[in-house]
Amino acid sequence: MEGNIEILNLNMKPGNTLKVKGKISADTVGFSINLGSSSRDLAFHFNPRFNESVIVCNSKHSDSWQTELRVRHLPFFRGCTVKFFIEMLSDKFRVKLPDGHEVCFPNRHGYHNISYVSIVGGLKIISFKLT
Amino acid sequence: MVLAGAISCRRLALRHSVPGEGLGAAPPAGTGACSMEKGLVVTQLDVEPGECIKVKGKIQSDAKGFAVNVGKDSNTLMLHFNPRFDCHGDVNTIVCNSKEDGVWGEEDRKAEFPFQHGDKIEICISFDQTEATVKLPEAEFKFPNRLGMEKIEYLAVEGDFKVKAIKFS
């Protein structure tokens, strides 16, 4: 039951927070939440990997991945229901993890508006909310 | 996009349902005073019979109409649920329809109109082999599953409605 949802016309702006709640598959190697303007242009790729115990963050420009940021902090598990709060600021994205820890990633390409979100891999979406 | 005025107005005789049963949808307007702006679209969903999609949001204070579409893609809709405050000559009417291969089916209009400008509402859509059900706090509408769809992969919101949250359960 690997998810691969795409959301279009979201209209997320600096100051907005996207709240994503989902259930992590019991047998997945990982999943990603991607924010940008299309699958080829991502301001923020947030990719927890269970097989490496790491969260990989990156951006994608014209279908080319940029420099990875690796965070060795994975405070959730396969089979769990989790909530992520992804805050967009003018200069960065800030993700609040389930244990309260925060991951920040720069808004490298100066996005003012996130219209596209995809959720790929072993996270089955229960809800999403934009505030 | 088809113009509402061009659509057949024949009603479907829906049976069981609460007052205001049946969801009909009208084609998004392409012209006139009531063009429906494209809103949030969610694709590659996997919603099965018995599961529920909840769309939470706010009807704009000057809304002329809005629509929630569910189906396989934009050309293949199990249900177009289209409350019209003042749209295509309809006042306070819900129009429901289906779409197959890009062609609208027969409209189904509901007598009941439980919406007000500025309302914050939650619309809950579920389906089974025979029909789709739209639940609102004070009403329930049904519309036949004409295409015999077995899952919902596509959700789109159009018009004067601001989506705040979407839940799957």
Side-chain angles (χ1 to χ4, degrees):
Chain A
M1 188 69 87
E2 300 280 283
N4 193 13
I5 286 184
E6 288 190 311
I7 302 167
L8 314 176
N9 305 327
L10 182 70
N11 197 23
M12 178 184 191
K13 295 187 165 146
N16 288 152
T17 298
L18 182 69
K19 299 177 183 175
V20 177
K21 185 179 175 185
K23 186 166 194 294
I24 302 172
S25 308
D27 56 357
T28 188
V29 295
F31 59 89
S32 67
I33 302 175
N34 304 287
L35 280 62
S37 58
S38 73
S39 61
R40 295 168 47 85
D41 286 284
L42 300 176
F44 182 35
H45 165 75
F46 174 81
N47 174 210
R49 298 181 186 176
F50 295 102
N51 53 348
E52 300 175 58
S53 291
V54 67
I55 298 175
V56 176
C57 299
N58 206 343
S59 61
K60 198 196 247 187
H61 184 63
S62 296
D63 221 14
S64 298
W65 289 111
Q66 310 294 304
T67 307
E68 279 186 0
L69 171 76
R70 289 178 163 248
V71 180
R72 300 220 160 265
H73 183 79
L74 202 60
F76 38 86
F77 305 94
R78 293 179 175 108
C80 282
T81 296
V82 287
K83 256 188 201 175
F84 298 103
F85 296 76
I86 305 173
E87 185 182 8
M88 182 182 186
L89 299 167
S90 54
D91 62 338
K92 66 185 170 195
F93 295 89
R94 187 159 59 195
V95 185
K96 200 168 174 191
L97 301 175
D99 67 346
H101 193 90
E102 289 182 352
V103 172
C104 289
F105 185 79
N107 184 359
R108 291 173 177 167
H109 310 288
Y111 277 77
H112 301 296
N113 186 348
I114 299 295
S115 57
Y116 171 89
V117 173
S118 69
I119 292 144
V120 179
L123 181 71
K124 186 165 168 61
I125 294 305
I126 296 168
S127 66
F128 61 86
K129 187 174 188 176
L130 187 65
T131 56
Chain B
M1 298 282 132
V2 179
L3 292 182
I7 295 174
S8 154
C9 287
R10 193 185 138 209
R11 293 171 189 217
L12 297 179
L14 293 184
R15 301 290 175 81
H16 35 254
S17 76
V18 184
E21 66 182 352
L23 300 182
T31 63
C34 186
S35 64
M36 294 263 245
E37 199 171 316
K38 268 261 176 216
L40 197 72
V41 174
V42 188
T43 62
Q44 302 181 61
L45 287 168
D46 185 13
V47 177
E48 301 193 337
E51 294 180 342
C52 173
I53 302 174
K54 282 184 189 161
V55 180
K56 211 171 168 177
K58 187 170 186 234
I59 300 171
Q60 289 171 14
S61 54
D62 57 352
K64 291 186 177 300
F66 67 94
V68 181
N69 299 327
V70 297
K72 187 175 183 344
D73 54 46
S74 62
N75 284 320
T76 315
L77 299 178
M78 174 192 301
L79 171 67
H80 167 74
F81 180 76
N82 176 207
R84 298 178 179 180
F85 287 89
D86 183 7
C87 224
H88 305 305
D90 286 310
V91 174
N92 293 352
T93 302
I94 298 172
V95 180
C96 300
N97 208 340
S98 57
K99 196 189 244 189
E100 192 167 8
D101 298 329
V103 179
W104 289 106
E106 290 180 46
E107 286 188 347
D108 175 27
R109 282 148 196 275
K110 305 305 179 189
E112 199 178 3
F113 192 78
F115 301 103
Q116 287 185 9
H117 286 126
D119 271 0
K120 287 180 183 168
I121 60 170
E122 185 173 272
I123 300 172
C124 179
I125 300 177
S126 59
F127 75 104
D128 61 23
Q129 288 181 334
T130 60
E131 62 195 3
T133 302
V134 178
K135 278 187 191 156
L136 296 159
E138 292 170 12
E140 183 175 310
F141 301 93
K142 289 185 182 294
F143 184 76
N145 183 354
R146 293 171 176 164
L147 282 58
M149 245 177 241
E150 292 175 350
K151 64 175 173 176
I152 292 173
E153 297 166 74
Y154 172 89
L155 165 71
V157 181
E158 300 172 323
D160 307 321
F161 182 81
K162 183 152 175 56
V163 177
K164 299 268 192 226
I166 295 189
K167 286 182 198 175
F168 305 97
S169 53

